[in-house]
Amino acid sequence: MPAKAVVSGIILIMIVVFLVFTVEFFIPLSVKSDMNMVCRSALLKMEMEGGLSSGNRSDLIEKLSEIGLSNITVEGTEQAKQGERIRLRVEADFVYNKLTGLFSRTDVTQRMIYQKTAIVRKVVN
């Protein structure tokens, strides 16, 4: 009887560790998705305004910081005429605590990059 309890306990611990590992696998994917949405909205503003202004740059950095990103660098076309190409490149680090062993956790830094080009357009309502 005691052997069954020990084996059941070990199996239960292994299942919990596997579930935690699986859930933690999706955390950076969620943050990357949020980053893509924020950067896409900034790119749409750039398309309508003809470039990345310093106010839009600071708003973008602030929104990315709220998500939990650090070491944010934003490069973008500052001025372009209608029909010209604009480019937005955002690099940021995401630091999170991850399960690396059976009972050990370490901080992991993942570099996330968003890079897109678009064409300046004029939106008429």
Side-chain angles (χ1 to χ4, degrees):
M1 262 332 202
K4 274 187 170 179
V6 171
V7 170
S8 297
I10 291 173
I11 290 174
L12 183 64
I13 290 172
M14 296 298 277
I15 290 172
V16 168
V17 167
F18 178 74
L19 288 174
V20 168
F21 179 77
T22 304
V23 168
E24 286 182 345
F25 178 75
F26 291 103
I27 292 172
L29 295 176
S30 174
V31 172
K32 176 65 173 158
S33 174
D34 292 343
M35 177 184 169
N36 286 346
M37 286 191 301
V38 170
C39 291
R40 178 66 182 147
S41 67
L43 186 63
L44 289 173
K45 280 184 186 177
M46 286 175 64
E47 286 179 13
M48 290 186 283
E49 296 175 4
L52 182 65
S53 65
S54 60
N56 287 343
R57 180 187 308 263
S58 61
D59 282 345
L60 178 59
I61 291 173
E62 182 180 324
K63 287 178 184 176
L64 292 174
S65 295
E66 289 173 2
I67 293 173
L69 299 172
S70 59
N71 297 333
I72 302 167
T73 58
V74 178
E75 298 172 5
T77 307
E78 293 181 5
Q79 272 192 333
K81 296 179 183 175
Q82 186 175 353
E84 291 182 350
R85 289 183 184 257
I86 54 173
R87 184 178 73 87
L88 177 65
R89 179 178 173 86
V90 179
E91 295 183 19
D93 290 335
F94 179 59
V95 180
Y96 63 102
N97 200 325
K98 183 178 180 183
L99 188 68
T100 55
L102 192 58
F103 297 111
S104 61
R105 301 182 71 79
T106 58
D107 285 339
V108 177
T109 302
Q110 187 162 354
R111 189 76 171 161
M112 297 186 180
I113 300 173
Y114 177 89
Q115 182 173 351
K116 298 286 181 184
T117 58
I119 296 177
V120 177
R121 59 192 170 100
K122 184 176 181 181
V123 178
V124 179
N125 289 334

